[in-house]
Amino acid sequence: MQAKDPDRRPAAVEINPLNLDEIQGALGTKRLGTRFHYFQEIDSTNSHARRLAETGAPEGEVVIAEHQTGGRGRLGRSWVSPPYSNLYCSLILRPALAPAHAPQITLTAAVALADTVAAFVAEPPAIKWPNDILLQGKKLAGILTESSCDAKRIDFVILGIGVNLNFPRERMPEAIRDRATSLMEVGGQGVSRENFLRRLIQDLDRCYGVLEDFGFDVIAPRWQARFGFKGKTVRVEMEGDVLIGQAVGIDHDGALLVENDRGERRRVVAGDVTAIED
Ligand code: BTN
């Protein structure tokens, strides 16, 4: 544990709320961003979006919060969500896809998010399967999709996105300090959260439109082009199993393909991937 030093206390957090009027008027999207539900503080934007979707909220509505008290990540992890510095939002989607195709939404969102990040920083973003966005090998953003389906159709998908924008390293909890980064850190200056959010909703709208109109075959090469671990030796932790091999890319449905040294390929549909070689 770090010793407390009174002279190294971080400066007070600047309270600079998001100006949503600035965003809504200039969105120009077809399906997403139809309505914003804004909170100073909430448990988790995903949890609230689910509550809205369960009571009939239509596709395109966005839940956004300045601060999450219970931000959630993949694999049961938590998502560090300090106030007034980053982006925490969840979109309600009602895609006309079979439940088996729900993972395509996550990968499509990763392509859109990487495009948005690329518009704000010279350093190229990389996607870590299935949907982390890395800059300089460190985690900048994550996506948590949660869906409600029956046997034949998807009722709704909650697409939750967290992006570290103006998150100084000294404010990051020690547990993530070595693995996480922010746009401010990589770009050397603060980022307008309004501009980032507007561009993100526009990129999501465009990519989601491509998925619905033309299918995942058009999205997959865009995802592969940003795949950061292609050709690298990876370790995949799955429930009750560990797999080591070379990351090849994704299968037609978004599953990760990992090849062992005998040339045998395995499909990974859920798991945690780390590169064990550069
Ligand atoms: C991950 O990489 O593990 C996914 C992180 C997703 C975090 C976002 S922040 C907005 C939304 N609300 C949540 O509780 N989680 C997602």
Side-chain angles (χ1 to χ4, degrees):
M1 202 171 117
Q2 201 178 31
K4 284 212 172 87
D5 175 353
D7 296 329
R8 290 192 58 230
R9 221 177 292 141
V13 177
E14 203 182 318
I15 298 183
N16 195 4
L18 269 165
N19 181 350
L20 290 180
D21 291 342
E22 222 182 89
I23 295 164
Q24 270 171 312
L27 262 182
T29 49
K30 284 195 186 134
R31 310 167 207 226
L32 309 183
T34 46
R35 180 175 172 189
F36 286 82
H37 301 261
Y38 172 82
F39 296 87
Q40 297 278 339
E41 182 179 292
I42 201 159
D43 50 354
S44 148
T45 56
N46 262 39
S47 304
H48 191 71
R50 173 178 279 274
R51 295 191 280 269
L52 291 173
E54 281 169 352
T55 50
E59 168 159 286
E61 296 197 358
V62 183
V63 178
I64 182 145
E66 300 288 7
H67 172 45
Q68 297 184 115
T69 53
R72 295 186 282 112
R74 285 179 67 236
L75 308 170
R77 296 176 184 142
S78 58
W79 186 256
V80 177
S81 310
Y84 300 107
S85 39
N86 298 327
L87 187 66
Y88 320 113
C89 66
S90 301
L91 290 93
I92 298 171
L93 306 179
R94 296 192 183 270
L97 288 175
H101 292 156
Q104 296 177 357
I105 301 277
T106 314
L107 278 83
T108 301
V111 171
L113 179 53
D115 286 352
T116 308
V117 170
F120 283 81
V121 73
E123 195 74 25
I127 301 176
K128 179 185 144 184
W129 186 89
N131 51 24
D132 287 356
I133 304 296
L134 309 184
L135 274 179
Q136 300 173 332
K138 294 187 171 165
K139 183 153 170 173
L140 176 87
I143 300 175
L144 176 68
T145 44
E146 298 176 303
S147 41
S148 166
C149 311
D150 61 28
K152 286 205 178 124
R153 51 179 280 279
I154 297 175
D155 182 14
F156 61 80
V157 172
I158 304 302
L159 176 63
I161 300 180
V163 190
N164 295 334
L165 294 179
N166 303 317
F167 196 5
R169 176 152 303 274
E170 62 274 14
R171 283 195 202 282
M172 291 180 185
E174 242 180 287
I176 65 165
R177 207 174 282 165
D178 292 341
R179 309 181 266 119
T181 192
S182 71
L183 265 190
M184 178 195 238
E185 178 170 271
V186 176
Q189 56 185 351
V191 174
S192 154
R193 295 191 300 146
E194 286 82 2
N195 286 349
F196 190 92
L197 176 61
R198 183 191 311 108
R199 178 72 194 243
L200 175 61
I201 305 277
Q202 290 167 338
D203 286 335
L204 288 168
D205 189 72
R206 178 177 49 78
C207 290
Y208 184 50
V210 169
L211 177 69
E212 287 222 316
D213 297 344
F214 303 103
F216 190 65
D217 285 354
V218 180
I219 297 291
R222 299 185 193 178
W223 190 97
Q224 304 262 26
R226 298 246 190 232
F227 181 36
F229 288 5
K230 191 177 166 80
K232 290 190 178 174
T233 303
V234 293
R235 173 189 165 90
V236 188
E237 280 185 45
M238 300 171 287
E239 225 167 74
D241 197 6
V242 172
L243 175 65
I244 293 180
Q246 198 179 59
V248 176
I250 46 171
D251 212 349
H252 61 93
D253 58 353
L256 178 68
L257 294 170
V258 178
E259 193 170 284
N260 67 17
D261 45 16
R262 293 185 300 282
E264 297 156 348
R265 286 188 177 186
R266 268 184 72 181
R267 284 166 43 84
V268 178
V269 292
D272 200 21
V273 183
T274 43
I276 54 176
E277 172 212 79
D278 275 337

